[in-house]
């Protein structure tokens, strides 16, 4: 999950803060100190994730595009310059542009906004942006919510009491709500100083960047792994009393960008590189064979492991999570029913691999696999009506086709509650009946009148004539004599 760090470099961030009554620092210096702490933590624990650094005041600038080089990020922090007033709306638009250009709309992203809580002045300020939300045209919409999944974390280089003296906290809470609400606002606890800012960034790390350690099991083999980004709990909507499900730390297979680094000390890393590791074996096997491995994450919760290349030389062991349940992939059937081919009574693939047990056929025929009439556009409905009228003009030769198309339209109209359609088609059939040429077969007039009468009865809603499973059958006539 990539991260965008949005750093406020407006003039209000240069306000001095007295530390221990001796040395003076700017709020910007405290923010830089906290971000350096965050980057050092990510370099050790989240080194496969991408991070970008942006600065903003009345304009925004991309200082470091998405990278894994945390030294470059820290160097950019040390060279920050001071600019003018705060204009957060433009900066948020910049985040949207940068993320979509690099990752598109499907990739979840974390936005870390570091500011002193000053909203700006006049047009372009956060206060003005939120007040004009409902009076904007489509071409000037507020950038939030983003078109991609977002978690926003707002870190204020100010304490809660200072923010509550104005409406700053209320506006920041509204900003968080507009982003989707899946984030948090952090403030300094107590007076502004290095330790209190460190504590605030420590809370952010615990909330969003704490490493997830787990054990990967496969039979008698096992390996300690680290999974990042940290798997989030999943709430199943279908349950009567939804309970968040979390990935277990003791799993049969695990690893989204998994690494086999367990200790931070160099000596331990060197020892790990020389000892056999099941995670490395699994990753290499999946990469060479081009296969995936099923992984159990918890009770009736599964996923799959596979190798994905970042470049020609680098590849990661990735993990994709399925929806919780015993049969998350309908074509695969219940995962608990899978087993070795050797244990089957007969080879499900045949002696010469001429057949396959997959996809598993569902016991109940899916509705989308049936011939269902759907009218998305007016032209589709018009085509079906014209088809009925063409067959009506060729009666009695097209009697069977005429009633087949008529019943198909009748069922669709009843399913949609489209009574007016039945009345309209009945009137069209009556009109066709009056326009029959003298040379027309007499059976044509009888069939058209009969069909029109049946449609009118169905349009009345009477259960006797409007039954969905009922079909209009041709009128029995005899012109042999």
């Amino acid at each position: 999950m990539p991260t965008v760090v949005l750093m406020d470099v407006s003039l209000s961030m240069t306000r001095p803060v007295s530390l221990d009554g001796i040395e003076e620092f700017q709020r910007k210096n405290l923010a830089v100190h906290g971000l350096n702490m965050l980057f050092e933590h990510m370099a050790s624990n989240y080194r496969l994730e991408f991070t970008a650094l942006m600065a903003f005041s009345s304009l925004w600038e991309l200082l470091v595009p998405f990278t894994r080089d945390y030294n470059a990020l820290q160097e950019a922090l040390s060279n920050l310059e001071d600019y003018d007033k705060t204009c957060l709306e433009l900066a948020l638009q910049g985040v949207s542009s940068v993320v979509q250009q690099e990752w598109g709309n499907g990739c979840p992203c974390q936005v870390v906004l570091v500011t002193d809580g000053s909203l700006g002045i006049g047009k372009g300020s956060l206060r003005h942006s939120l007040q004009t939300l409902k009076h904007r045209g489509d071409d000037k919409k507020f950038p939030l919510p983003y078109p991609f999944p977002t978690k926003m974390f707002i870190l204020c280089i100010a304490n809660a009491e200072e923010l509550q003296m104005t409406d700053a906290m209320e506006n920041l809470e509204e900003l968080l709500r507009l982003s989707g609400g899946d984030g948090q606002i952090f403030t300094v606890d107590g007076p502004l100083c290095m330790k209190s800012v460190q504590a605030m960034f420590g809370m952010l790390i615990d909330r969003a960047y704490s490493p997830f350690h787990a054990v990967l099991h496969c039979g008698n083999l096992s390996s300690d792994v680290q999974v990042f980004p940290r798997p989030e709990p999943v709430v199943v909507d279908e349950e009567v009393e939804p309970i968040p499900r979390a990935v277990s730390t003791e799993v049969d297979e695990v690893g989204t960008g998994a690494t086999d680094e367990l200790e931070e000390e160099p000596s331990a890393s060197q020892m790990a590189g020389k000892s056999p590791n099941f995670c490395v074996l699994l990753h290499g096997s999946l990469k060479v064979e081009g296969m995936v491995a099923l992984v159990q994450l918890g009770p009736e919760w599964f996923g799959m492991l596979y190798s994905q290349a970042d470049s020609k030389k680098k590849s990661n062991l990735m993990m994709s999570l399925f929806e919780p349940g015993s049969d998350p992939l309908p074509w695969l059937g219940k995962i608990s029913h899978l087993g070795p081919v050797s244990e089957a009574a007969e080879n499900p693939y045949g002696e010469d691999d001429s057949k396959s047990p997959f996809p598993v056929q569902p016991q109940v025929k899916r509705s989308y696999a049936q011939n269902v009439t759907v009218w998305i556009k007016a032209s589709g409905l018009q085509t079906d009506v014209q088809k009925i009228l063409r067959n009506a003009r060729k009666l009695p030769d097209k009697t069977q086709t005429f009633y087949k198309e008529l019943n198909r339209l009748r069922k669709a109209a009843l399913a949609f509650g489209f009574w007016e359609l039945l009345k309209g088609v009945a009137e069209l059939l009556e009109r066709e009946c009056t326009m029959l040429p003298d040379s027309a077969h007499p059976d044509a007039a009888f069939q058209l009148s009969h069909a029109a009468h049946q449609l009118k009865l169905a349009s009345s809603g009477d259960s006797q004539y409007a039954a969905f499973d009922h079909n209009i059958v041709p009128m029995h006539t005899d012109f042999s004599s």
Side-chain angles (χ1 to χ4, degrees), residues 221 277-293 305-307 317:
L221 301 176
N277 189 288
F278 169 62
C279 186
V280 176
L281 173 64
L282 177 66
H283 183 194
S285 303
L286 296 177
K287 181 179 179 180
V288 172
E289 297 296 331
M291 301 179 75
V292 302
L305 296 172
Y306 54 95
S307 177
L317 182 60

Side-chain angles (χ1 to χ4, degrees), residues 3-7 31-47 50-54 64 67-78 80 112 114 201 204-205 209:
T3 296
V4 177
V5 175
L6 193 57
M7 175 69 179
V32 168
H33 177 73
L35 284 175
N36 276 321
M37 171 184 165
L38 174 64
F39 290 154
E40 287 171 4
H41 171 82
M42 294 176 73
S44 300
N45 299 279
Y46 270 68
R47 56 190 176 88
F50 288 90
T51 304
L53 177 62
M54 296 174 60
V64 182
T67 181
R68 291 171 171 170
D69 185 355
Y70 289 96
N71 290 328
L73 292 165
Q74 290 177 302
E75 184 179 349
L77 281 178
S78 64
L80 285 177
V112 177
V114 183
F201 274 86
L204 169 67
I205 290 172
Y209 296 100

Side-chain angles (χ1 to χ4, degrees), residues 139-158:
D139 57 333
K140 294 183 179 180
K141 282 187 175 181
F142 193 68
L144 296 181
Y146 287 132
F148 47 87
T150 312
K151 280 187 178 181
M152 179 173 284
F153 300 100
I154 303 174
L155 289 94
C156 298
I157 310 300

